[in-house]
Amino acid sequence: MQPDREEDAARPAATAVANSHRGLPPASPGGKPATASPPARSVAPSADAGTPTSAGATSPTASPATSAAPSSASPQKAAATPSLAGRIRPGTVYQGVATAYEAGVGDGACSYGPSDDMMIAAMNTTDYETSQACGAHVLVRGANGASVTVRITNECPLPCAPGQLDLSEQAFAELAPVATGRIAVTWSLLSPETAGTISIRYKTGSSPYWCGIQALGHRNPLARLEVGTSGGWRRLDRTEYNYFLSPDGSGCGGAIRITDIYGERLTIDGIALRPEVVQPTRVQFARH
Protein backbone atom coordinates (compact mmCIF):
# COMPACT_ATOMS: atom_id res chain seq x y z
CA MET A 1 0.00 0.00 0.00
CA GLN A 2 1.19 3.51 -0.71
CA PRO A 3 0.92 6.08 2.08
CA ASP A 4 -1.68 8.74 1.69
CA ARG A 5 0.23 11.85 0.65
CA GLU A 6 -2.70 14.09 -0.15
CA GLU A 7 -3.22 17.32 1.76
CA ASP A 8 -6.25 17.41 4.04
CA ALA A 9 -9.05 19.25 2.26
CA ALA A 10 -11.08 21.78 4.20
CA ARG A 11 -14.44 20.42 5.26
CA PRO A 12 -17.58 22.19 4.07
CA ALA A 13 -19.64 23.81 6.78
CA ALA A 14 -22.51 21.77 8.17
CA THR A 15 -26.02 22.57 7.01
CA ALA A 16 -28.73 22.35 9.66
CA VAL A 17 -30.98 19.32 9.22
CA ALA A 18 -33.87 19.31 11.65
CA ASN A 19 -35.54 16.51 13.54
CA SER A 20 -39.03 15.89 14.90
CA HIS A 21 -38.89 16.55 18.63
CA ARG A 22 -41.20 15.73 21.50
CA GLY A 23 -43.09 18.77 22.73
CA LEU A 24 -43.08 20.62 19.39
CA PRO A 25 -45.41 20.08 16.43
CA PRO A 26 -43.30 18.29 13.79
CA ALA A 27 -42.84 19.85 10.39
CA SER A 28 -43.33 17.75 7.29
CA PRO A 29 -40.16 15.66 6.80
CA GLY A 30 -38.46 15.48 3.44
CA GLY A 31 -37.40 12.26 1.77
CA LYS A 32 -33.85 11.09 1.20
CA PRO A 33 -32.20 13.10 -1.59
CA ALA A 34 -31.99 11.55 -5.04
CA THR A 35 -29.40 14.14 -6.01
CA ALA A 36 -26.61 15.90 -4.22
CA SER A 37 -28.74 17.82 -1.76
CA PRO A 38 -29.27 17.20 1.94
CA PRO A 39 -32.56 15.80 3.25
CA ALA A 40 -34.96 17.94 5.24
CA ARG A 41 -36.31 17.27 8.72
CA SER A 42 -38.41 19.28 11.24
CA VAL A 43 -37.27 21.80 13.89
CA ALA A 44 -35.44 21.07 17.13
CA PRO A 45 -36.33 22.40 20.56
CA SER A 46 -34.32 25.15 22.12
CA ALA A 47 -31.29 24.07 24.13
CA ASP A 48 -28.82 25.39 26.63
CA ALA A 49 -25.17 25.03 25.81
CA GLY A 50 -23.50 21.90 27.05
CA THR A 51 -19.83 22.09 27.97
CA PRO A 52 -17.57 19.32 26.72
CA THR A 53 -14.73 18.51 29.09
CA SER A 54 -11.95 16.00 28.91
CA ALA A 55 -11.08 13.10 31.16
CA GLY A 56 -7.46 12.23 30.69
CA ALA A 57 -7.45 13.79 27.23
CA THR A 58 -7.43 17.17 25.56
CA SER A 59 -10.83 18.49 24.55
CA PRO A 60 -11.59 19.40 20.95
CA THR A 61 -11.20 22.99 19.90
CA ALA A 62 -14.86 23.86 20.54
CA SER A 63 -17.33 22.61 23.08
CA PRO A 64 -17.64 19.46 21.99
CA ALA A 65 -31.43 -5.01 -2.35
CA THR A 66 -28.22 -6.40 -1.11
CA SER A 67 -25.46 -7.81 -3.31
CA ALA A 68 -23.61 -10.90 -2.16
CA ALA A 69 -20.49 -10.09 -4.13
CA PRO A 70 -17.60 -9.84 -1.62
CA SER A 71 -14.64 -7.54 -1.90
CA SER A 72 -11.07 -7.67 -0.72
CA ALA A 73 -9.24 -5.20 1.47
CA SER A 74 -5.75 -4.54 2.74
CA PRO A 75 -5.70 -2.84 6.15
CA GLN A 76 -3.04 -0.47 7.42
CA LYS A 77 -3.13 0.26 11.14
CA ALA A 78 -1.91 3.29 12.99
CA ALA A 79 -2.21 4.87 16.42
CA ALA A 80 -5.14 7.17 17.21
CA THR A 81 -4.81 10.38 15.22
CA PRO A 82 -6.43 13.43 16.86
CA SER A 83 -6.27 15.41 13.60
CA LEU A 84 -8.38 12.71 11.92
CA ALA A 85 -10.76 12.43 14.87
CA GLY A 86 -11.96 16.03 14.61
CA ARG A 87 -14.19 17.22 17.44
CA ILE A 88 -15.31 13.87 18.87
CA ARG A 89 -12.14 12.23 20.13
CA PRO A 90 -11.46 8.86 21.74
CA GLY A 91 -10.82 8.99 25.47
CA THR A 92 -12.68 12.26 25.94
CA VAL A 93 -15.76 12.63 28.14
CA TYR A 94 -18.21 15.34 27.07
CA GLN A 95 -20.77 17.11 29.25
CA GLY A 96 -24.06 18.30 27.88
CA VAL A 97 -27.76 17.61 27.90
CA ALA A 98 -29.94 14.90 26.41
CA THR A 99 -33.35 15.59 24.93
CA ALA A 100 -35.82 13.23 23.24
CA TYR A 101 -37.37 13.13 19.78
CA GLU A 102 -39.78 10.88 17.91
CA ALA A 103 -37.44 8.94 15.63
CA GLY A 104 -40.12 7.33 13.46
CA VAL A 105 -38.57 4.50 11.43
CA GLY A 106 -35.08 5.56 12.50
CA ASP A 107 -33.95 7.29 9.31
CA GLY A 108 -32.18 10.64 9.58
CA ALA A 109 -29.65 13.07 8.17
CA CYS A 110 -26.99 10.33 7.90
CA SER A 111 -29.11 8.73 5.13
CA TYR A 112 -28.83 5.22 6.51
CA GLY A 113 -32.51 4.45 5.97
CA PRO A 114 -34.94 2.74 8.36
CA SER A 115 -33.45 1.04 11.41
CA ASP A 116 -34.56 -2.03 13.36
CA ASP A 117 -32.47 -0.84 16.32
CA MET A 118 -33.95 2.29 17.86
CA MET A 119 -31.06 2.92 20.25
CA ILE A 120 -30.12 5.89 18.08
CA ALA A 121 -29.48 9.61 18.49
CA ALA A 122 -29.07 12.90 16.66
CA MET A 123 -25.83 14.81 17.22
CA ASN A 124 -25.85 18.59 17.56
CA THR A 125 -24.76 20.37 14.37
CA THR A 126 -21.43 21.55 15.79
CA ASP A 127 -20.28 18.07 16.83
CA TYR A 128 -22.03 16.47 13.83
CA GLU A 129 -19.20 18.10 11.88
CA THR A 130 -20.48 17.72 8.31
CA SER A 131 -21.59 14.11 9.03
CA GLN A 132 -18.29 12.86 10.49
CA ALA A 133 -20.27 11.85 13.59
CA CYS A 134 -22.48 9.54 11.48
CA GLY A 135 -22.22 5.92 12.58
CA ALA A 136 -20.37 6.76 15.80
CA HIS A 137 -21.30 4.64 18.82
CA VAL A 138 -21.68 6.77 21.94
CA LEU A 139 -22.05 5.76 25.58
CA VAL A 140 -24.42 8.19 27.35
CA ARG A 141 -24.64 8.37 31.16
CA GLY A 142 -27.24 10.16 33.24
CA ALA A 143 -26.66 11.73 36.66
CA ASN A 144 -28.66 8.86 38.19
CA GLY A 145 -26.07 6.31 37.02
CA ALA A 146 -28.20 4.90 34.20
CA SER A 147 -26.52 4.53 30.82
CA VAL A 148 -27.35 3.68 27.22
CA THR A 149 -25.28 3.12 24.08
CA VAL A 150 -26.59 4.81 20.94
CA ARG A 151 -25.53 5.07 17.32
CA ILE A 152 -25.53 8.49 15.64
CA THR A 153 -27.92 8.45 12.69
CA ASN A 154 -29.18 12.03 12.61
CA GLU A 155 -28.33 15.69 13.11
CA CYS A 156 -29.90 17.99 15.68
CA PRO A 157 -29.71 21.55 14.27
CA LEU A 158 -29.40 24.81 16.12
CA PRO A 159 -30.47 25.65 18.74
CA CYS A 160 -29.12 22.24 19.79
CA ALA A 161 -25.96 23.24 21.61
CA PRO A 162 -22.44 21.78 21.43
CA GLY A 163 -22.39 18.71 23.65
CA GLN A 164 -26.13 18.06 23.26
CA LEU A 165 -27.53 14.72 22.13
CA ASP A 166 -31.11 14.31 20.96
CA LEU A 167 -31.99 10.71 21.78
CA SER A 168 -34.78 8.64 20.29
CA GLU A 169 -37.58 8.34 22.81
CA GLN A 170 -36.68 4.66 23.18
CA ALA A 171 -33.08 5.50 24.10
CA PHE A 172 -34.04 8.42 26.36
CA ALA A 173 -36.37 6.08 28.29
CA GLU A 174 -33.30 4.04 29.31
CA LEU A 175 -32.06 7.09 31.26
CA ALA A 176 -35.25 8.75 32.53
CA PRO A 177 -38.98 8.92 31.82
CA VAL A 178 -39.56 10.49 28.41
CA ALA A 179 -41.85 13.09 30.01
CA THR A 180 -38.77 14.51 31.78
CA GLY A 181 -37.81 15.94 28.41
CA ARG A 182 -34.30 17.09 29.25
CA ILE A 183 -31.53 15.81 31.52
CA ALA A 184 -27.85 16.45 32.16
CA VAL A 185 -25.56 13.75 30.76
CA THR A 186 -21.98 12.88 30.01
CA TRP A 187 -21.05 10.93 26.89
CA SER A 188 -18.02 9.40 25.21
CA LEU A 189 -17.09 7.61 22.00
CA LEU A 190 -17.06 3.81 21.90
CA SER A 191 -15.39 1.31 19.59
CA PRO A 192 -17.87 -1.59 19.92
CA GLU A 193 -16.72 -5.11 20.76
CA THR A 194 -19.03 -6.73 18.23
CA ALA A 195 -19.81 -5.50 14.75
CA GLY A 196 -20.48 -7.00 11.35
CA THR A 197 -18.59 -6.06 8.24
CA ILE A 198 -18.64 -2.79 6.32
CA SER A 199 -20.87 -2.32 3.27
CA ILE A 200 -20.67 0.22 0.45
CA ARG A 201 -23.57 1.93 -1.30
CA TYR A 202 -23.57 4.18 -4.37
CA LYS A 203 -26.12 6.98 -4.33
CA THR A 204 -29.16 7.21 -6.58
CA GLY A 205 -28.11 8.75 -9.89
CA SER A 206 -24.51 7.57 -9.67
CA SER A 207 -22.82 6.88 -13.01
CA PRO A 208 -19.30 6.95 -14.52
CA TYR A 209 -19.78 10.73 -14.77
CA TRP A 210 -20.91 11.53 -11.20
CA CYS A 211 -21.27 9.44 -8.09
CA GLY A 212 -21.86 9.55 -4.39
CA ILE A 213 -20.40 6.82 -2.16
CA GLN A 214 -21.45 5.85 1.35
CA ALA A 215 -19.91 3.41 3.83
CA LEU A 216 -22.28 1.54 6.15
CA GLY A 217 -21.74 -0.48 9.31
CA HIS A 218 -18.27 0.81 10.18
CA ARG A 219 -17.20 0.19 13.78
CA ASN A 220 -15.38 3.53 14.16
CA PRO A 221 -16.23 6.95 12.68
CA LEU A 222 -14.88 7.57 9.19
CA ALA A 223 -12.28 10.27 8.66
CA ARG A 224 -12.05 10.08 4.87
CA LEU A 225 -12.96 8.15 1.75
CA GLU A 226 -10.78 8.00 -1.37
CA VAL A 227 -11.15 6.47 -4.81
CA GLY A 228 -8.45 5.04 -7.04
CA THR A 229 -7.82 6.98 -10.25
CA SER A 230 -5.23 6.85 -13.02
CA GLY A 231 -3.39 9.60 -11.16
CA GLY A 232 -3.48 7.87 -7.76
CA TRP A 233 -5.80 8.12 -4.78
CA ARG A 234 -8.28 10.99 -4.79
CA ARG A 235 -9.94 12.13 -1.59
CA LEU A 236 -13.65 12.88 -1.98
CA ASP A 237 -15.48 15.69 -0.21
CA ARG A 238 -18.06 14.69 2.37
CA THR A 239 -21.62 16.01 2.40
CA GLU A 240 -23.91 16.81 5.31
CA TYR A 241 -26.05 13.84 4.30
CA ASN A 242 -23.14 11.41 4.70
CA TYR A 243 -22.12 10.64 1.12
CA PHE A 244 -18.72 11.30 -0.44
CA LEU A 245 -19.02 12.89 -3.89
CA SER A 246 -17.01 12.57 -7.09
CA PRO A 247 -18.53 15.41 -9.16
CA ASP A 248 -16.78 14.46 -12.40
CA GLY A 249 -17.03 10.67 -12.03
CA SER A 250 -13.34 10.20 -11.30
CA GLY A 251 -12.86 6.84 -9.55
CA CYS A 252 -16.54 5.88 -9.70
CA GLY A 253 -16.78 2.09 -9.89
CA GLY A 254 -13.13 1.56 -9.00
CA ALA A 255 -11.17 0.77 -5.84
CA ILE A 256 -12.26 2.55 -2.66
CA ARG A 257 -10.07 3.36 0.33
CA ILE A 258 -11.60 4.29 3.68
CA THR A 259 -9.80 5.57 6.78
CA ASP A 260 -11.17 5.68 10.32
CA ILE A 261 -10.35 8.29 12.97
CA TYR A 262 -7.59 6.03 14.35
CA GLY A 263 -5.75 6.12 11.02
CA GLU A 264 -6.52 2.55 9.94
CA ARG A 265 -6.99 2.31 6.16
CA LEU A 266 -8.93 -0.37 4.30
CA THR A 267 -8.70 -0.71 0.52
CA ILE A 268 -11.80 -2.29 -1.00
CA ASP A 269 -12.04 -3.78 -4.50
CA GLY A 270 -14.91 -5.44 -6.32
CA ILE A 271 -17.67 -2.90 -5.64
CA ALA A 272 -19.76 -2.44 -8.79
CA LEU A 273 -21.27 0.91 -9.67
CA ARG A 274 -24.85 -0.08 -8.80
CA PRO A 275 -26.89 2.80 -7.33
CA GLU A 276 -28.87 2.16 -4.13
CA VAL A 277 -27.56 -1.40 -3.73
CA VAL A 278 -25.91 -2.25 -0.40
CA GLN A 279 -22.81 -4.25 -1.31
CA PRO A 280 -21.09 -6.07 1.58
CA THR A 281 -17.37 -6.42 2.07
CA ARG A 282 -15.46 -8.86 4.24
CA VAL A 283 -13.69 -6.22 6.32
CA GLN A 284 -14.12 -4.15 9.46
CA PHE A 285 -12.00 -1.63 11.35
CA ALA A 286 -10.16 -2.85 14.45
CA ARG A 287 -11.60 -2.28 17.91
CA HIS A 288 -9.96 0.34 20.13
Side-chain angles (χ1 to χ4, degrees), residues 6-34:
E6 296 184 25
E7 296 289 339
D8 285 348
R11 298 187 187 92
T15 299
V17 179
N19 305 296
S20 176
H21 296 267
R22 185 174 183 83
L24 289 183
S28 300
K32 279 173 55 180

Side-chain angles (χ1 to χ4, degrees), residues 23-245:
L24 289 183
S28 300
K32 279 173 55 180
T35 57
S37 21
R41 303 286 183 267
S42 58
V43 178
S46 108
D48 299 330
T51 307
T53 60
S54 67
T58 303
S59 294
T61 303
S63 314
T66 302
S67 165
S71 57
S72 60
S74 303
Q76 292 185 347
K77 297 181 181 180
T81 309
S83 61
L84 292 180
R87 293 181 56 84
I88 303 176
R89 301 187 180 186
T92 303
V93 176
Y94 299 88
Q95 293 181 348
V97 296
T99 47
Y101 78 106
E102 297 177 4
V105 297
D107 198 4
C110 294
S111 305
Y112 289 138
S115 175
D116 293 331
D117 180 5
M118 295 305 292
M119 294 298 106
I120 56 177
M123 181 64 70
N124 68 84
T125 291
T126 304
D127 296 321
Y128 184 78
E129 204 170 5
T130 316
S131 80
Q132 181 157 317
C134 287
H137 296 265
V138 174
L139 174 64
V140 187
R141 294 186 184 277
N144 60 359
S147 66
V148 63
T149 297
V150 296
R151 183 170 64 102
I152 303 303
T153 62
N154 210 344
E155 176 184 5
C156 185
L158 294 172
C160 274
Q164 182 172 349
L165 290 170
D166 205 24
L167 308 180
S168 68
E169 289 185 331
Q170 295 90 330
F172 190 95
E174 296 293 315
L175 303 177
V178 173
T180 308
R182 181 185 185 86
I183 58 173
V185 295
T186 60
W187 55 272
S188 56
L189 184 68
L190 289 182
S191 181
E193 181 175 359
T194 58
T197 57
I198 295 168
S199 296
I200 298 294
R201 175 164 59 191
Y202 277 96
K203 198 177 189 313
T204 301
S206 292
S207 73
Y209 309 103
W210 176 93
C211 69
I213 306 173
Q214 181 185 54
L216 304 163
H218 41 89
R219 172 183 272 126
N220 306 317
L222 285 187
R224 61 181 60 168
L225 184 149
E226 300 160 284
V227 291
T229 70
S230 58
W233 290 105
R234 177 186 179 187
R235 181 178 177 183
L236 302 186
D237 288 337
R238 188 173 204 154
T239 68
E240 294 88 347
Y241 52 92
N242 197 33
Y243 274 85
F244 296 81
L245 300 187

